[in-house]
């Protein structure tokens, strides 16, 4: 770092995204992207006519897209906030609702950006330990008097808690904002979006990056009470008013119009998830139950880092963290059946080599 960096950021540990190596062609199972391309209609929507208008700023309110999302989720447009990926939305959550007096709580093993944002804004943060087998205990969050952010399904574990548990947490913290990060909800989970109409302190965050195959488009959105949405808008218009580009908005509208295409892809991913877990079971792996487009798995007698490195040497990327609590585990994105067969083939080769 340079000598010009503000002293308050000297000890900041930035978020490390999943690697995107360019040295060879990999089977990428490390960043939870969809293995399927956007629907054909999305490609038609991002057309020459739309590209020719790139000399003009996009609608800062994203009115057409917000209305489309509102109709899809049966809420009002005033309940929708658009962000440049759900990471920007998380940033605005920490910026808008948390301060020195109103801290934030989140699981100790979860999405790595939560502690980064807490550190960035120098917030009092409580990392609540998961229970046995990486289970999130809802009662740990009831009545704690802090803002709360929970990924559901959780990452990297893939575990999920029920809507009734989320309602208990939201109801017991009426003076604090509870954000439920549903980046992976469309792979077999039940969304808590219907609760938004009942609780003014609930903010539900989703993304177009996973289920909707638009990771490169960078689009996230939140659904919440009009007051919370106004607060997020204040953060947006104080930082970057044109945060969603016009091509992404055109692609997103076409995406919503072709929901069944993505629902069919999700069913395929869920089938591939079950298939992969069964095959790993045969090889002696322990895999947590997952409602996401990834699994969290380990093999007795084989260090998680060693498995990650061996797979990478064979052209397959998975995600591994050196943190003690999860060092023996790897997170594996569920891709196409062909990709999962390559992954399983390489795992078998590795097990033969180490034995």
């Amino acid at each position: 770092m340079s000598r010009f960096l503000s002293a308050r950021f000297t000890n900041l540990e930035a978020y490390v995204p999943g690697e995107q190596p360019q040295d060879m062609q990999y089977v990428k199972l490390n960043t939870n992207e969809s293995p399927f391309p956007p629907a054909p209609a999305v490609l038609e929507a991002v057309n020459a006519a739309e590209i020719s208008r790139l000399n003009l700023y996009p609608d800062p309110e994203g009115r057409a897209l917000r209305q489309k999302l509102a109709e899809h989720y049966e809420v009002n447009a005033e309940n929708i906030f658009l962000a440049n990926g759900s990471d920007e939305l998380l940033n605005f959550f920490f910026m808008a609702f948390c301060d020195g007096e109103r801290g934030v709580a989140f699981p100790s093993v979860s999405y790595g950006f939560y502690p980064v944002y807490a550190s960035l804004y120098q917030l009092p943060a409580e990392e609540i330990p998961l229970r046995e087998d990486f289970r999130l205990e809802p009662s740990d969050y009831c009545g704690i008097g802090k803002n709360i952010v929970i990924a559901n399904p959780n990452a990297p574990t893939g575990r999920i808690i029920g809507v009734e548990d989320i309602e208990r947490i939201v109801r017991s913290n009426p003076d604090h904002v509870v954000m439920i990060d549903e980046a992976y909800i469309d792979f077999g989970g039940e969304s808590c979006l219907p609760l938004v109409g009942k609780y003014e302190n609930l903010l539900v965050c989703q993304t177009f990056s996973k289920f909707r195959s638009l990771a490169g488009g960078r689009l996230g959105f939140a659904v919440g009470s009009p007051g919370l949405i106004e607060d997020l808008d204040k953060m947006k218009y104080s930082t970057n008013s044109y945060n969603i580009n016009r091509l992404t908005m055109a692609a997103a509208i076409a995406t919503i119009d072709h929901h069944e295409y993505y629902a069919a892809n999700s069913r395929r991913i869920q089938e591939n998830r079950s298939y992969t877990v069964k095959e790993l079971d045969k090889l002696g792996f322990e895999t947590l139950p997952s409602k996401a487009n990834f699994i969290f798995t380990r093999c007795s007698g084989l260090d998680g880092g060693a498995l990650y490195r061996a797979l990478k040497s064979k052209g397959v990327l998975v995600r591994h963290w050196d943190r003690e609590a999860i060092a023996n585990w790897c997170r594996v994105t569920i891709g196409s059946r062909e990709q999962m067969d390559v992954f399983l083939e390489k795992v078998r080769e590795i097990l033969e080599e180490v034995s």
Side-chain angles (χ1 to χ4, degrees):
M1 67 184 70
S2 80
R3 60 187 176 89
F4 303 105
L5 181 67
S6 172
R8 68 183 186 276
F9 298 134
T10 301
N11 296 319
L12 178 65
E13 293 186 16
Y15 175 74
V16 179
E19 61 186 319
Q20 305 280 354
Q22 307 295 319
D23 58 322
M24 60 180 282
Q25 187 70 36
Y26 288 92
V27 174
K28 281 189 83 277
L29 305 177
N30 67 322
T31 48
N32 298 340
E33 297 147 315
S34 173
F36 305 112
V42 174
L43 306 183
E44 296 172 7
V46 186
N47 54 32
E50 196 65 35
I51 293 172
S52 71
R53 301 177 67 200
L54 285 177
N55 59 308
L56 305 175
Y57 284 113
D59 175 9
E61 296 182 34
R63 282 166 288 192
L65 176 54
R66 288 173 65 199
Q67 184 60 40
K68 182 68 68 172
L69 280 166
E71 292 169 1
H72 182 77
Y73 288 107
E74 299 181 342
V75 296
N76 297 318
E78 64 182 3
N79 297 116
I80 302 290
F81 176 81
L82 304 177
N84 191 278
S86 58
D87 290 338
E88 183 182 55
L89 177 52
L90 290 168
N91 183 29
F92 290 154
F93 165 82
F94 280 82
M95 187 188 301
F97 306 117
C98 306
D99 55 33
E101 296 181 357
R102 295 178 298 175
V104 62
F106 44 82
S108 60
V109 177
S110 193
Y111 185 34
F113 242 134
Y114 303 158
V116 171
Y117 282 134
S119 178
L120 177 66
Y121 294 115
Q122 301 180 349
L123 303 170
E126 181 180 0
E127 298 191 32
I128 298 178
L130 297 178
R131 300 295 184 93
E132 185 179 1
D133 295 332
F134 299 104
R135 294 180 184 274
L136 186 149
E137 173 52 54
S139 62
D140 291 340
Y141 297 83
C142 290
I144 62 174
K146 295 180 176 70
N147 294 312
I148 296 168
V149 57
I150 293 174
N152 196 49
N154 195 20
T157 67
R159 285 191 177 278
I160 195 167
I161 61 173
V163 173
E164 67 281 1
D165 292 321
I166 292 171
E167 184 166 15
R168 284 173 51 207
I169 295 169
V170 175
R171 188 172 58 237
S172 68
N173 293 283
D175 297 322
H176 294 82
V177 181
V178 178
M179 172 180 274
I180 304 299
D181 183 352
E182 292 188 340
Y184 303 101
I185 199 66
D186 292 298
F187 297 101
E190 181 184 0
S191 174
C192 68
L193 271 170
L195 297 178
V196 166
K198 295 177 63 176
Y199 299 99
E200 66 175 357
N201 64 321
L202 173 62
L203 198 60
V204 182
C205 167
Q206 292 196 14
T207 178
F208 276 64
S209 294
K210 320 298 182 182
F211 171 76
R212 292 184 168 103
S213 300
L214 278 183
R218 310 310 302 130
L219 179 63
F221 65 97
V223 183
S225 63
L228 292 183
I229 300 306
E230 288 178 8
D231 295 338
L232 294 174
D233 270 332
K234 180 175 287 190
M235 300 302 103
K236 184 189 83 165
Y237 285 108
S238 299
T239 53
N240 180 14
S241 55
Y242 298 105
N243 62 334
I244 312 298
N245 72 72
R246 65 168 58 251
L247 298 185
T248 291
M249 283 196 276
I253 290 171
T255 294
I256 299 168
D257 284 336
H258 292 81
H259 178 79
E260 184 50 42
Y261 168 85
Y262 298 96
N265 287 344
S266 176
R267 290 190 291 269
R268 293 163 67 185
I269 289 171
Q270 292 176 61
E271 291 168 1
N272 293 343
R273 184 178 66 202
S274 296
Y275 163 74
T276 303
V277 170
K278 289 177 182 177
E279 292 302 310
L280 288 174
D281 286 347
K282 297 175 185 177
L283 298 174
F285 277 71
E286 175 189 0
T287 305
L288 297 183
S290 173
K291 289 294 185 180
N293 68 333
F294 58 83
I295 55 175
F296 204 46
T297 190
R298 68 176 176 179
C299 183
S300 177
L302 184 59
D303 174 75
L307 176 60
Y308 155 75
R309 289 186 292 273
L311 284 168
K312 184 175 180 179
S313 71
K314 295 177 179 291
V316 177
L317 288 178
V318 298
R319 194 78 192 267
H320 176 260
W321 291 267
D322 288 327
R323 290 182 56 189
E324 182 178 356
I326 56 175
N328 285 330
W329 298 78
C330 286
R331 191 193 69 192
V332 183
T333 301
I334 301 301
S336 66
R337 180 60 64 90
E338 292 76 18
Q339 288 177 313
M340 303 323 296
D341 280 335
V342 172
F343 163 72
L344 291 165
E345 175 189 348
K346 300 307 178 184
V347 167
R348 295 186 188 101
E349 289 179 6
I350 292 166
L351 295 179
E352 290 178 3
E353 291 167 1
V354 300
S355 64

